[in-house]
Amino acid sequence: MKGTSGTSQDRPGSVSGPTPEQSLADPAPRLARRLRDEGLRLTPQRLAVYRCLQEFAARHHHPTVEEVHQALAGVLPLASAATVRRTLDLLVELGLARRVTLPGEAEHFDGDPHLHVHVHCRQCGRVEDLPFPQLERMEEEVVSRTGFVVTGQSLVFTGLCPDCQRATGDLARIAGHLARPGGPARRKPPETA
């Protein structure tokens, strides 16, 4: 995936630079540079959490704090879930990760900070990344119309993945809720007496 270009690389949510696959090779220099830019130190805990998040990103998985904490149990046995949480929050602040909020679920984190859309299956919980170049233009439009400094954004489409659609065997019911082919699911308004 390609990030934005120019000076926006240090702005959270609009990061240019290495892809997750490139960062996985050795994420330490990138993290060290960003921390130094903010007057912060590179600690073993910060590096371990960042490397773990990059490994999850390489597998296109969006872990929760608990999943990162469990994955680091052998590497950082004394690190608490609170330390992992603070570090993930810092990575988001630095623009090195994204927070992904899914309806009815614990907060997830994405090691790929580049602008993209998330597609979430409400049945199995699967989350997929979808590159969407128009998001960059949309962000620019939001900034120009409002004057806001955008520090993050999240766009999550929720529905049923193809596997869950097949598993339910109830495609007719699902299709009956669509307003138009390929359109979003709609609910009927309640009947009045």
Side-chain angles (χ1 to χ4, degrees), residues 73-89:
V75 179
L76 296 173
L78 300 179
S80 68
T83 297
V84 171
R85 154 67 71 190
R86 282 191 304 275
T87 304
L88 289 168
D89 288 342

Side-chain angles (χ1 to χ4, degrees), residues 140-186:
E140 290 168 2
E141 179 81 12
V142 167
V143 170
S144 72
R145 284 186 180 193
T146 66
F148 271 64
V149 172
V150 176
T151 58
Q153 64 291 107
S154 178
L155 183 56
V156 178
F157 288 88
T158 302
L160 289 177
C161 70
D163 293 339
C164 289
Q165 290 175 48
R166 281 189 292 280
T168 62
D170 200 1
L171 293 177
R173 182 185 62 79
I174 294 167
H177 288 292
L178 298 178
R180 62 189 182 336
R186 305 268 186 226

Side-chain angles (χ1 to χ4, degrees), residues 13-189:
S14 295
V15 177
S16 66
T19 63
E21 292 78 13
Q22 293 166 329
S23 297
L24 187 57
D26 187 10
R30 180 170 171 77
L31 177 61
R33 187 184 82 238
R34 288 296 294 126
L35 289 167
R36 187 175 52 249
D37 290 349
E38 297 297 321
L40 300 169
R41 291 183 314 112
L42 176 63
T43 64
Q45 294 86 356
R46 288 172 176 165
L47 182 56
V49 170
Y50 186 53
R51 280 187 170 146
C52 181
L53 191 60
Q54 290 298 294
E55 289 171 10
F56 276 115
R59 294 190 316 258
H60 304 286
H61 183 70
H62 305 77
T64 62
V65 171
E66 185 58 32
E67 286 176 300
V68 174
H69 184 241
Q70 287 175 357
L72 292 172
V75 179
L76 296 173
L78 300 179
S80 68
T83 297
V84 171
R85 154 67 71 190
R86 282 191 304 275
T87 304
L88 289 168
D89 288 342
L90 176 62
L91 293 173
V92 170
E93 267 183 58
L94 294 174
L96 297 173
R98 298 179 62 133
R99 196 177 317 277
V100 181
T101 305
L102 304 171
E105 292 193 23
E107 191 171 54
H108 293 251
F109 291 85
D110 189 346
D112 178 3
H114 299 89
L115 287 173
H116 60 275
V117 172
H118 292 102
V119 183
H120 170 243
C121 179
R122 63 183 164 84
Q123 187 163 320
C124 70
R126 180 168 121 191
V127 178
E128 289 187 19
D129 293 340
L130 178 65
F132 213 79
Q134 296 87 340
L135 285 178
E136 196 172 320
R137 287 193 303 275
M138 184 185 297
E139 182 180 283
E140 290 168 2
E141 179 81 12
V142 167
V143 170
S144 72
R145 284 186 180 193
T146 66
F148 271 64
V149 172
V150 176
T151 58
Q153 64 291 107
S154 178
L155 183 56
V156 178
F157 288 88
T158 302
L160 289 177
C161 70
D163 293 339
C164 289
Q165 290 175 48
R166 281 189 292 280
T168 62
D170 200 1
L171 293 177
R173 182 185 62 79
I174 294 167
H177 288 292
L178 298 178
R180 62 189 182 336
R186 305 268 186 226
R187 293 183 188 208
K188 288 184 176 180

